Amino acid sequence: MAYDRHLADRVRELVADEDGLAERPMFGGLAFLVHGNMAVAAASRGGLLVRVDPAQSAALTDDTHVRPMVMHGRPMRGWLQVDREAVRTAPRLEQWVARGVSFARTLPAKHARS
C-alpha cells in the first residue's frame, strides 16, 4: 500500500520552515528528517510513524490509535504508529508532528552520505 500523499502534504506544510529538513522514502512511506534523523513519516500502512523519546513511548500509546511500531515482530521503543484517525484534525496532526520534530532535534546531526 502506498503512503497517503495528502497526509504527507499536510506534514510537509507543518515542517516546511524546519532547519535541516529533508524528505526521504523510508519504510515504504515518506519520511521527514531533521538533520538526518527521522522525525515523522507518512506510513505505508496509513497514518504516521512518529519518533519519540523511548522513555515516553509507553505513556503515549493507547489501545485504539497509537501503538509501538513493530518491525520483524518486535515492538520498537521510541517509534510509534499513529493511525490516520488520530491525525484527522489539524491540531492533532500538529501535536504528533511537533513531538517527532522536537525529539529529532535532540539527536546528534547525521551527515549526508555520498
Side-chain angles (χ1 to χ4, degrees), residues 28-40:
L30 182 64
F32 296 86
L33 295 84
V34 176
H35 296 292
N37 294 292
M38 191 188 109
V40 62

Side-chain angles (χ1 to χ4, degrees), residues 27-96:
F27 306 116
L30 182 64
F32 296 86
L33 295 84
V34 176
H35 296 292
N37 294 292
M38 191 188 109
V40 62
S44 63
R45 295 180 185 155
L48 294 177
L49 293 178
V50 181
R51 191 164 185 190
V52 299
D53 182 340
Q56 296 177 350
S57 291
L60 293 171
T61 60
D62 65 29
D63 293 330
T64 309
H65 300 297
V66 182
R67 62 196 165 284
M69 176 181 154
V70 176
M71 185 173 279
H72 305 294
R74 294 182 50 204
M76 305 297 292
R77 282 180 27 104
W79 299 83
L80 299 177
Q81 175 73 44
V82 180
D83 291 343
R84 62 176 57 102
E85 291 80 15
V87 294
R88 285 200 192 282
T89 67
R92 292 295 308 264
L93 178 62
E94 289 170 16
Q95 180 183 47
W96 283 108

